[in-house]
């Protein structure tokens, strides 16, 4: 027991001795990295430049280095930044000049200096751009305490201003805090004062002093940063300009179409290009007036030479005896139907053919030769452009259009395309450097509108408008005239003459049914029609299906060229 007590006493004495030794070797601990006070004296001159002197009184021994980070780029709403220019940075410690280091990185400027063993340190700097626009009036806006690497027990600031003020405000705490400062006042004074504390490391004291209009020049520097939202801003001004452009431009396009692309008023002489003429009681025959062919009809109606116009013209040539369409028997159960086109010798009067018909006939059935519809692709590719061109020329030669419809469309399309290209370039520039990108979008839409409305710019003359009105009346006849009134014995030939026009204007099905109804026997009808022959067991009842296949196949060949 005595030995245990002796050992414990020896251990206690050892601990005490070690403590004494360490107390003699290690320095006494003290609070480092804090300031008892930060006192700011600032002056705002009449030009809007702010000069600041910041005195730091250390608590105990000064830290080895003091760092202060200034936010020289303040982020604002709308992809904008308010930039401050910090200059004239100097530092002293107990009156001795120091050499501070300055690091500018992005929106932050960090100043660092070593105060040594000084009790106080003073930092002087100048700020440009601190007078901001607050509702049209100037206001000094600056964080007099910010980014300091020390905690601050007490903060004070005195700001000398060049005239009377409108208001003062002071907030403190973490960055972007809105807590009011402990005390601030500016009653009947040109030197507002501000008090706050304690403040932790990196916390701020932000001061704002408002002035009457024109008391101090506004010198804030606002930098706009690019973003998609900013480039295509929906602010009232760019949005209003864009909408205004669309409205005015749209009205301009409508006015241009009404002035340039509007058809002339037809005269009183509106006649149908073909009609059903009574020849006896309850009988009528179909007569074409003025050599107006199905190709003319389709082009006048929609101002374009479509595949169906060429197909109807081919049927018309067959009905008039210039080409024979022969449906070939299928080579196998699942083989595709094919047709032989043969140039006939009975009707070769050149005056009976229009130029576009000659071009079409030479393409599909050259003299002395036959051609399969399945082999028309290469022939059509070589001649379809000529057929179209001849038809467009006849639109002008016959007085139905002042200019070729395709030339008119091409002119306006080229103008619209040039407008689109220019509008895209303008949009790119506006989006890159301004917030008026929507104006460029409006220009693009208007240019596209010009391309679209250009397709409707071909204008019919008074004669063309009269023909269009007559075609409307003919369409009504094709859809409503009874199909069983053709002269006896001539039903097939008369109904066949109607068919090409019905293919273009509508009603083909009812006229095909009429041809089927004209068949009065059960015998094969492979050669009953002078213009369409079928296989040996073919009957007129098969004609609707056969002709639909023929039209679809020829149209497909023309579309695929």
């Amino acid at each position: 027991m005595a030995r245990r007590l002796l050992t414990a006493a020896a251990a206690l004495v050892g601990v005490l001795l070690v403590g004494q030794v360490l107390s003699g070797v290690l320095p006494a601990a003290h609070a480092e990295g804090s300031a008892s006070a930060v006192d700011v004296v600032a002056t705002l001159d009449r030009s809007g430049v702010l000069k600041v002197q910041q005195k730091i009184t250390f608590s105990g021994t000064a830290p080895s280095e003091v760092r202060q980070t200034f936010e020289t780029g303040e982020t604002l709403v709308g992809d904008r930044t308010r930039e401050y220019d910090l200059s004239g940075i100097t530092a002293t410690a107990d009156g001795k000049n120091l050499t501070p280091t300055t690091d500018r990185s992005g929106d932050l400027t960090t100043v660092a200096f070593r105060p040594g063993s000084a009790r106080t340190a003073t930092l002087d700097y100048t700020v440009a751009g601190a007078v901001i626009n607050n509702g049209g009036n100037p206001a000094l806006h600056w964080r007099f305490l910010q980014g300091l690497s020390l905690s601050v027990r007490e903060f004070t600031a005195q700001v000398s201003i060049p005239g009377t003020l409108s208001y003062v405000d002071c907030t403190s705490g973490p960055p972007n805090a809105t807590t009011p400062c402990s005390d601030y006042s500016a009653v009947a004074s040109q030197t507002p004062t501000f008090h706050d504390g304690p403040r932790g490391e990196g916390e701020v004291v932000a001061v704002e002093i408002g002035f009457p209009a024109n008391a101090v020049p506004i010198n804030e520097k606002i930098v706009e940063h690019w973003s998609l939202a900013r480039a295509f801003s929906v602010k009232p001004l760019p949005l209003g300009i864009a909408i205004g452009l669309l409205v005015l431009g749209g009205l301009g396009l409508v006015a241009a179409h009404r002035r340039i692309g509007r058809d002339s008023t037809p005269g009183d002489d509106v006649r149908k290009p073909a009609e059903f003429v009574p020849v006896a009681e309850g009988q009528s025959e179909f007569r074409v007036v003025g050599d107006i062919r199905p190709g003319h009809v389709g082009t006048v109606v929609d101002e374009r030479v479509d595949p169906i116009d060429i197909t109807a013209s081919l049927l018309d040539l067959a009905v008039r005896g210039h080409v024979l369409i022969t449906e070939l028997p299928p080579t196998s159960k699942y083989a595709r139907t094919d047709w032989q086109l043969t140039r006939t010798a009975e009707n070769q009067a050149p005056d009976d053919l229009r130029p576009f018909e000659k071009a079409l006939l030479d393409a599909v059935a050259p003299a002395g030769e036959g051609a399969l519809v399945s082999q028309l692709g290469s022939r059509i590719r070589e001649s379809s452009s000529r057929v179209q061109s001849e038809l467009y020329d006849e639109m002008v030669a016959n007085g139905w259009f002042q200019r070729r419809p395709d030339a008119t469309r091409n002119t306006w399309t080229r103008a619209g395309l040039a407008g689109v290209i220019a509008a895209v370039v303008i949009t790119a520039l506006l989006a890159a450097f301004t917030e008026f990108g929507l104006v460029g979008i409006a220009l693009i839409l208007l240019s596209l509108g010009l391309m679209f409305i250009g397709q409707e710019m071909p204008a019919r003359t008074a004669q063309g408008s009269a023909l269009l009105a007559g075609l409307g009346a003919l369409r009504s006849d094709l859809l409503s005239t009874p199909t069983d009134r053709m002269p006896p014995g001539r039903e097939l030939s008369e109904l066949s003459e109607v068919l090409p026009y019905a293919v273009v204007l509508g009603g083909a099905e009812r006229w095909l049914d009429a041809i089927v109804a004209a068949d009065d026997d059960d015998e094969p009808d492979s050669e009953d029609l002078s213009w369409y022959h079928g296989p040996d067991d073919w009957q007129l009842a098969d004609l609707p299906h056969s002709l639909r296949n023929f039209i679809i196949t020829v149209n497909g060949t023309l579309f695929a060229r």
Side-chain angles (χ1 to χ4, degrees):
M1 183 67 179
R3 289 186 64 185
R4 290 181 180 177
L5 291 175
L6 181 60
T7 300
L12 180 59
V13 170
V15 171
L16 292 174
L17 289 175
V18 171
Q20 290 293 327
V21 171
L22 291 177
S23 66
V25 173
L26 299 178
H30 60 81
E32 182 174 321
S34 63
S36 61
V38 172
D39 300 299
V40 172
V41 176
T43 301
L44 179 67
D45 62 24
R46 293 189 176 277
S47 66
V49 175
L50 178 66
K51 296 182 178 180
V52 180
Q53 183 181 80
Q54 175 182 280
K55 181 180 179 182
I56 303 172
T57 302
F58 301 107
S59 298
T61 304
S64 59
E65 183 181 61
V66 175
R67 300 174 64 86
Q68 185 163 11
T69 300
F70 297 91
E71 185 180 16
T72 52
E74 182 180 353
T75 301
L76 304 177
V77 176
D79 300 304
R80 301 179 303 152
T81 299
R82 179 184 291 126
E83 294 188 351
Y84 302 94
D85 182 20
L86 215 61
S87 62
I89 300 173
T90 62
T92 62
D94 285 346
K96 296 179 181 180
N97 292 330
L98 302 176
T99 304
T101 60
T102 303
D103 178 32
R104 302 180 188 272
S105 176
D107 294 335
L108 301 176
T109 299
T110 301
V111 179
F113 58 90
R114 297 180 178 277
S117 59
R119 299 284 298 173
T120 63
T122 302
L123 183 67
D124 292 86
Y125 59 89
T126 300
V127 184
V131 181
I132 66 172
N133 185 345
N134 188 6
N137 293 329
L140 173 64
H141 180 79
W142 183 244
R143 292 175 173 177
F144 285 101
L145 177 64
Q146 59 177 310
L148 189 61
S149 60
L150 308 171
S151 59
V152 179
R153 186 185 309 162
E154 183 178 0
F155 171 86
T156 62
Q158 294 183 352
V159 184
S160 298
I161 56 178
T164 58
L165 53 81
S166 301
Y167 68 89
V168 294
D169 191 21
C170 180
T171 57
S172 62
N176 300 320
T178 58
T179 304
C181 297
S182 300
D183 179 45
Y184 56 95
S185 62
V187 179
S189 172
Q190 289 187 334
T191 308
T193 59
F194 305 88
H195 300 274
D196 194 65
R199 289 288 124 224
E201 180 179 343
E203 293 192 342
V204 303
V205 175
V207 169
E208 187 168 305
I209 303 174
F211 300 96
N214 302 318
V216 181
I218 297 173
N219 60 6
E220 68 176 348
K221 181 181 178 182
I222 304 297
V223 177
E224 304 278 355
H225 298 287
W226 192 92
S227 70
L228 197 61
R230 175 186 172 275
F232 298 94
S233 172
V234 292
K235 291 180 181 178
L237 181 58
L239 182 60
I241 294 176
I243 293 176
L245 271 177
L246 284 176
V247 172
L248 294 178
L251 292 175
L253 290 176
V254 172
H257 180 261
R258 291 177 63 86
R259 181 178 179 84
I260 302 173
R262 191 176 186 179
D263 292 344
S264 299
T265 303
D268 296 331
D269 186 21
V270 176
R271 299 195 324 177
K272 291 179 285 188
E275 56 189 357
F276 293 91
V277 180
V279 294
E281 181 70 25
Q283 301 177 19
S284 61
E285 63 180 14
F286 186 73
R287 293 180 186 175
V288 177
V289 181
D291 197 26
I292 298 175
R293 297 302 172 191
H296 296 139
V297 170
T299 306
V300 169
V301 168
D302 61 9
E303 304 166 353
R304 289 172 174 79
V305 179
D306 298 319
I308 191 62
D309 301 332
I310 298 178
T311 303
S313 297
L314 180 58
L315 289 177
D316 186 52
L317 287 171
V319 170
R320 287 157 54 199
H322 292 281
V323 64
L324 173 63
I325 304 172
T326 302
E327 182 179 335
L328 302 178
T331 57
S332 69
K333 182 178 180 180
Y334 301 103
R336 187 178 63 176
T337 304
D338 205 352
W339 295 264
Q340 176 80 30
L341 303 177
T342 307
R343 189 84 164 257
T344 57
E346 292 82 0
N347 191 357
Q348 297 292 341
D351 293 340
D352 186 40
L353 295 176
R354 307 297 300 175
F356 80 92
E357 292 177 319
K358 293 179 183 178
L360 178 59
L361 194 58
D362 290 340
V364 300
E369 299 180 28
L372 295 176
V373 169
S374 60
Q375 298 174 350
L376 281 182
S378 58
R379 295 175 183 268
I380 288 294
R381 278 191 291 272
E382 295 170 359
S383 60
S384 60
S385 297
R386 181 185 169 195
V387 174
Q388 288 180 321
S389 182
E390 294 287 359
L391 259 175
Y392 284 130
D393 283 340
E394 291 196 31
M395 295 295 106
V396 179
N398 292 334
W400 298 327
F401 290 86
Q402 289 186 344
R403 293 186 62 202
R404 286 176 46 137
D406 61 330
T408 301
R409 281 194 299 271
N410 290 341
T411 298
W412 286 94
T413 299
R414 284 192 292 268
L417 182 60
V420 169
I421 295 173
V424 168
V425 173
I426 292 172
T427 301
L429 294 174
L430 290 174
F433 301 107
T434 72
E435 55 184 20
F436 290 84
L438 285 180
V439 175
I441 296 297
L443 293 175
I444 292 176
L445 292 176
L446 289 175
S447 299
L448 292 174
L450 181 61
M451 293 180 65
F452 173 78
I453 206 170
Q455 305 305 304
E456 308 299 324
M457 278 302 189
R460 300 174 185 84
T461 61
Q463 188 175 348
S465 297
L467 175 58
L468 183 64
L471 291 174
L474 175 58
R475 171 179 166 80
S476 178
D477 289 346
L478 292 173
L479 295 174
S480 61
T481 298
T483 61
D484 58 353
R485 294 185 178 181
M486 297 302 172
R490 294 165 48 197
E491 293 95 342
L492 293 182
S493 61
E494 290 294 334
L495 291 171
S496 296
E497 290 181 15
V498 177
L499 198 56
Y501 293 88
V503 167
V504 176
L505 292 175
E509 293 294 332
R510 62 193 305 266
W511 295 101
L512 283 171
D513 292 340
I515 293 177
V516 173
D519 185 13
D520 54 3
D521 58 53
D522 296 329
E523 299 297 321
D525 307 308
S526 59
E527 296 185 2
D528 281 17
L529 295 174
S530 62
W531 57 277
Y532 192 100
H533 290 176
D536 292 339
D537 58 348
W538 188 86
Q539 293 185 321
L540 286 177
D542 298 317
L543 180 64
H545 179 71
S546 294
L547 203 59
R548 276 195 297 269
N549 280 348
F550 177 80
I551 292 173
I552 291 172
T553 302
V554 175
N555 278 349
T557 302
L558 292 170
F559 269 117
R561 71 184 189 273

